[in-house]
Amino acid sequence: MPDQDCIFCDIIAGDLPSDQVGENEAAVAFRDINPRAPVHLLVVPRRHRTSAHDLTAHDGDELAQVFTLAREVAEAAGTADGYRVVTNVGRGGGQMVDHLHFHVLGGRQLRHIDSGASPQD
Ligand code: AMP
């Protein structure tokens, strides 16, 4: 069920514009409006739930489609050297939009997580 106050549900429904780069049965991908890397895409499951914290063992097929789309749009964006897939959970985890989504970041050298970098560095 779409959430009435969710901007990503509105984008998926076509009620809000987005710069869409791909889609499949389970998910839609579009460019982040405030990119933090040369490639910064969002892969968003069509089905509304708040975050990865709400996923269960029943979501395996849907997640496989989500990650398939992430791979396709990352390849299409030319991130052949590698990229990062990140999901934030809750305000304490930096989540601002309460609809599960995966950031696909690339197009430049990303810092190793051991360097103290945030996931978007
Ligand atoms: P998070 O902080 O993980 O919830 O990420 C939410 C992301 O959504 C941020 O990177 C925002 O820049 C991005 N965002 C918010 N509104 C839009 C929009 N209308 N179209 C594309 N990206 C958006």
Side-chain angles (χ1 to χ4, degrees):
M1 275 287 283
D3 184 292
Q4 288 196 328
D5 295 317
C6 173
I7 55 169
F8 285 177
C9 283
D10 288 344
I11 287 174
I12 289 162
D15 295 335
L16 264 184
S18 73
D19 191 355
Q20 189 171 319
V21 293
E23 65 178 325
N24 64 20
E25 199 179 307
V28 173
F30 49 88
R31 288 184 210 286
D32 196 292
I33 205 167
N34 179 26
R36 268 83 91 203
V39 174
H40 188 171
L41 310 173
L42 299 173
V43 179
V44 185
R46 294 181 186 274
R47 190 154 81 79
H48 181 90
R49 83 270 277 165
T50 303
S51 75
H53 199 69
D54 301 310
L55 291 167
T56 73
H58 301 290
D59 297 319
D61 290 346
E62 189 181 348
L63 282 178
Q65 290 207 54
V66 166
F67 279 89
T68 298
L69 183 58
R71 185 190 70 224
E72 289 170 358
V73 295
E75 283 176 355
T79 55
D81 284 355
Y83 56 96
R84 182 170 291 158
V85 181
V86 185
T87 190
N88 298 321
V89 178
R91 294 291 174 270
Q95 184 178 8
M96 297 305 292
V97 177
D98 290 336
H99 180 130
L100 174 65
H101 55 280
F102 297 85
H103 298 257
V104 175
L105 297 147
R108 63 168 163 77
Q109 180 61 54
L110 298 168
R111 291 173 64 198
H112 192 273
I113 199 133
D114 282 352
S115 67
S118 79
Q120 289 160 2
D121 287 341

